[in-house]
């Protein structure tokens, strides 16, 4: 199948290149750019020297749809709201890695992203797919909205308890930390070495654009209440750790809670549950499509602690997008994604 990437010069795009280069069914035919037409990708990324002969091409939806079967949009929010519908209308399948089609309520998108929302019709057309929670909607779809990085870690950590209705209303608090590649490749004061090295930063306090995305999905799983979600920037390149707290009123033991997770995820190829008392680290999933989860229940406070880690550029973006592409086209979901994390 012929694959095109928009935003290949960005961090998410670079990971798509790395994964798709070795994929047995998808072949990268075209790379598109808004700023570097005519160049080769290795003029931007020396680590890709000699691997991709094709030149970066300008963005032209009609031509792109003729040249490819599927386009990944790894562009900043505010771009795909217009570009994705043009591609789908021309018959091309699309997976959008940005936030533009995740939040189905236009007012909420505009409130949290401070940008104009996509057209209501196309918001309905785009299928939000976190495969472990709703893969049945994806097979045969033409247009996928790939989840955000923090929502992926958070929702996979919470889903088993939420589906069982075990968490009490208004009790969910998520303390999330990300490596700096989560902010993309553009330089900013907050992410330069002297600001971040040996330093921890809280950011977007009660303002993070992933709050409505997480709440929307939790609502569909049966938890209808606001969450507290807080993000921190950590001096490392990649990785997200979401440490999640919630209250359980029912009489339950930590072994029973662990069993619920075990039952939910035992058949999931990309979710690895730690044994009770063990917790994952971000390095243990780096460069892979895994989400690793550990948990504990404090019978003294009736509060559960769930630790969920992913690689923000992989399960949080590029490899999850390829997982979605596999499902869309009826391939084995793990195709081209069966590699272990890079460690140490
Ligand atoms: N980084 C992460 O961990 C995650 C990122 N995402 C989302 O994925 C998307 C890409 O993120 P990331 O790769 O980190 O971002 P980067 O900033 O690293 O790259 C974005 C790329 O988008 C392209 N671009 C910029 N402006 C335009 C435009 N007007 N039209 C078309 N293309 C444009 C640029 O390429 P060029 O100049 O060649 O056009 C740029 O290289 C974002 O929406 C982000 O929110 C989602 C989950 C995790
Ligand atoms: C470390 C860091 O800055 N991370 C980014 C994640 C961006 C992202 O993935 O956001 P959308 O896809 O929803 O635009 C942030 O917190 O905004």
């Amino acid at each position: 199948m012929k694959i095109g990437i928009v935003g290949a010069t960005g961090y998410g795009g670079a990971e798509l290149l790395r994964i798709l280069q070795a994929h047995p069914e998808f072949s990268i035919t075209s790379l598109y750019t808004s700023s570097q037409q005519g160049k080769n990708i290795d003029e931007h990324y020396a680590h890709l020297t000699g691997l991709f002969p094709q030149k970066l091409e300008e963005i032209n939806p009609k031509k792109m749809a003729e040249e490819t079967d599927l386009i990944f949009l790894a562009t900043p929010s505010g771009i795909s709201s217009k570009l994705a519908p043009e591609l789908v209308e021309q018959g091309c399948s699309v997976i959008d890695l940005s936030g533009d089609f995740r939040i189905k309520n236009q007012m909420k998108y505009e409130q949290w992203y401070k940008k104009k929302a996509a057209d209501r019709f196309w918001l309905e057309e785009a299928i939000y797919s976190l495969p472990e929670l709703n893969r049945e909607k994806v097979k045969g779809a033409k247009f996928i909205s790939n989840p955000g990085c923090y929502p992926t870690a958070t929702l996979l950590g919470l889903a088993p308890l939420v589906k069982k209705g075990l968490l009490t209303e208004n009790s969910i608090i998520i303390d999330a930390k990300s490596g700096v590649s989560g902010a993309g490749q553009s330089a900013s004061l907050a992410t330069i070495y002297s600001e971040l090295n040996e330093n921890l930063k809280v950011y977007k306090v009660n303002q993070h654009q992933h709050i409505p995305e997480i709440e929307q999905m939790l609502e569909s799983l049966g938890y209808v209440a606001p969450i507290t979600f807080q993000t921190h920037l950590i001096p490392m390149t990649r990785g997200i750790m979401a440490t999640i707290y919630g209250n359980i009123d029912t009489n339950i033991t930590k072994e029973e809670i662990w069993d619920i997770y075990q039952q939910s995820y035992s058949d999931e190829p990309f979710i690895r549950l730690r044994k009770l008392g063990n917790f994952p680290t971000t390095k243990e999933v780096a460069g892979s499509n895994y989400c690793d989860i550990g948990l504990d229940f404090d019978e003294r406070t009736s509060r559960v602690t769930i630790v969920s880690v992913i690689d923000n550029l992989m399960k949080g973006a590029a490899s999850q997008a390829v997982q979605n592409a596999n499902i869309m086209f009826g391939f084995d979901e793990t195709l081209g994604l069966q590699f272990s994390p890079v460690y140490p």
Side-chain angles (χ1 to χ4, degrees):
M1 301 198 59
K2 289 180 280 178
I3 305 295
I5 301 174
V6 187
T9 56
Y11 281 166
E15 284 297 71
L16 281 169
L17 289 172
R18 186 170 71 88
I19 300 163
L20 292 171
Q21 194 204 8
H23 196 286
E25 295 289 345
F26 298 138
S27 162
I28 299 173
T29 49
S30 314
L31 305 176
Y32 304 100
T33 180
S34 65
S35 68
Q36 307 198 43
Q37 291 93 340
K39 289 189 181 168
N40 189 280
I41 191 75
D42 58 27
E43 293 178 61
H44 187 83
Y45 282 129
H47 75 282
L48 299 177
T49 298
L51 299 182
F52 297 95
Q54 53 278 73
K55 299 274 179 228
L56 291 158
E57 297 172 52
E58 69 174 345
I59 296 167
N60 172 340
K62 191 168 180 297
K63 190 164 170 290
M64 289 158 79
E66 282 164 9
E67 288 172 350
T68 62
D69 301 306
L70 167 66
I71 300 255
F72 291 90
L73 298 176
T75 50
S77 56
I79 306 295
S80 52
S81 52
K82 198 166 164 289
L83 181 56
E86 289 175 342
L87 290 164
V88 179
E89 266 177 343
Q90 311 266 357
C92 188
S93 296
V94 169
I95 297 186
D96 179 27
L97 277 73
S98 85
D100 279 5
F101 291 92
R102 298 185 199 140
I103 299 164
K104 301 304 175 186
N105 179 314
Q106 287 176 306
M107 270 166 55
K108 278 195 185 165
Y109 176 89
E110 291 180 0
Q111 177 195 342
W112 291 88
Y113 276 81
K114 313 274 185 270
K115 286 183 180 159
K116 192 166 167 16
D119 186 88
R120 187 165 290 147
F121 171 80
W122 289 104
L123 282 169
E124 292 302 323
E125 287 293 297
I127 293 173
Y128 180 86
S129 172
L130 183 46
E132 289 75 9
L133 302 187
N134 59 351
R135 60 167 62 81
E136 68 288 350
K137 289 186 178 170
V138 182
K139 205 165 180 179
K142 293 284 287 178
F143 182 13
I144 295 294
S145 170
N146 210 53
C149 45
Y150 285 119
T152 295
T154 301
L155 290 164
L156 293 175
L158 277 167
L161 286 181
V162 168
K163 283 190 197 164
K164 291 267 181 207
L166 281 169
L167 291 170
T168 57
E169 211 179 300
N170 280 316
S171 77
I172 296 179
I173 297 177
I174 301 124
D175 180 66
K177 291 132 193 136
S178 175
V180 73
S181 64
Q185 206 188 23
S186 312
S188 76
L189 184 61
T191 57
I192 62 172
Y193 185 81
S194 48
E195 292 288 323
L196 196 58
N197 185 42
E198 295 183 59
N199 203 3
L200 288 188
K201 290 189 179 189
V202 66
Y203 70 102
K204 298 188 185 171
V205 178
N206 296 322
Q207 303 289 323
H208 202 283
Q209 73 275 12
H210 289 166
I211 291 173
E213 183 182 336
I214 297 168
E215 288 180 349
Q216 176 181 274
M217 191 62 177
L218 287 179
E219 198 172 320
S220 77
L221 299 176
Y223 183 91
V224 188
I227 54 161
T228 295
F229 172 76
Q230 192 47 61
T231 48
H232 304 76
L233 209 49
I234 297 286
M236 62 186 190
T237 302
R238 48 168 95 208
I240 280 181
M241 178 178 282
T243 308
I244 306 164
Y245 307 96
N247 280 35
I248 299 181
D249 280 346
T250 331
N251 207 358
I252 196 163
T253 64
K254 60 178 81 177
E255 287 77 15
E256 286 167 334
I257 295 175
W258 193 87
D259 277 346
I260 290 170
Y261 277 74
Q262 170 69 11
Q263 278 161 29
S264 293
Y265 289 144
S266 57
D267 291 336
E268 287 298 342
F270 294 118
I271 301 199
R272 302 187 302 186
L273 188 57
R274 291 287 189 278
K275 293 212 160 54
L276 264 179
N278 291 279
F279 295 89
T281 70
T282 51
K283 260 195 180 179
E284 289 158 4
V285 294
S288 80
N289 194 45
Y290 289 115
C291 172
D292 284 10
I293 297 173
L295 60 87
D296 188 46
F297 179 59
D298 182 359
E299 283 157 25
R300 201 174 56 85
T301 57
S302 302
R303 200 164 290 140
V304 66
T305 300
I306 306 149
V307 177
S308 172
V309 298
I310 58 167
D311 181 328
N312 53 295
L313 291 174
M314 293 292 286
K315 183 65 176 162
S319 59
Q320 177 140 271
V322 174
Q323 190 181 350
N324 273 321
N326 284 338
I327 304 170
M328 255 172 130
F329 291 101
F331 299 127
D332 182 309
E333 193 168 325
T334 65
L335 208 60
L337 296 172
Q338 290 159 313
F339 37 80
S340 52
V342 178
Y343 194 94

